Amino acid sequence: MTSAASPHLTGGLDTLVICGRVDADRAELTPRGELVHGCADILARTLAGLPATVTRVDLDMAGVHFMDTAGLQFLDVLADHGRQRSLTVTATNWNGQPRRILELAGLDTTDPLT
């Protein structure tokens, strides 16, 4: 499973790519690239494509090297998805500049969804 940004949303092809796999009731997603305008739409499409049997969604954010305020919207989409479907959702392994944005926003840098 792979979702990528379209050029008209972000100004550049593949600004964010979300790869992943589903193992039983758990989806493991690995975003790579930048969390900028359009990234929340990419995540929403990826989440909508998950099987109904998924009860947990874990994002490994280690491959995200840049984030602006659109990254906070990305987190809102993920949290909303979890609440609406009563799923456990996590976003872990933040580093570099995206981690600093989380710090400035006053969010938990281990998992900002907690």
Side-chain angles (χ1 to χ4, degrees):
M1 136 191 359
T2 302
S3 296
S6 63
H8 70 279
L9 290 176
T10 62
L13 187 60
D14 296 341
T15 300
L16 179 70
V17 175
I18 302 176
C19 297
R21 66 186 184 97
V22 175
D23 185 17
D25 62 348
R26 179 177 180 220
E28 297 175 26
L29 305 178
T30 53
R32 291 187 327 266
E34 301 176 349
L35 296 184
V36 295
H37 179 73
C39 66
D41 295 335
I42 297 163
L43 177 62
R45 285 193 304 270
T46 301
L47 294 172
L50 294 175
T53 57
V54 168
T55 61
R56 179 180 183 98
V57 179
D58 296 315
L59 274 72
D60 180 344
M61 305 302 291
V64 174
H65 58 268
F66 178 82
M67 176 170 118
D68 64 15
T69 56
L72 301 177
Q73 183 183 13
F74 178 94
L75 291 173
D76 287 342
V77 167
L78 182 58
D80 288 347
H81 181 79
R83 276 191 297 277
Q84 291 170 356
R85 291 170 179 75
S86 299
L87 306 175
T88 300
V89 294
T90 65
T92 58
N93 295 325
W94 296 87
N95 54 55
Q97 186 269 347
R99 181 181 177 98
R100 180 67 179 136
I101 296 297
L102 296 177
E103 290 170 351
L104 292 170
L107 298 172
D108 181 346
T109 57
T110 304
D111 182 1
L113 299 173
T114 59

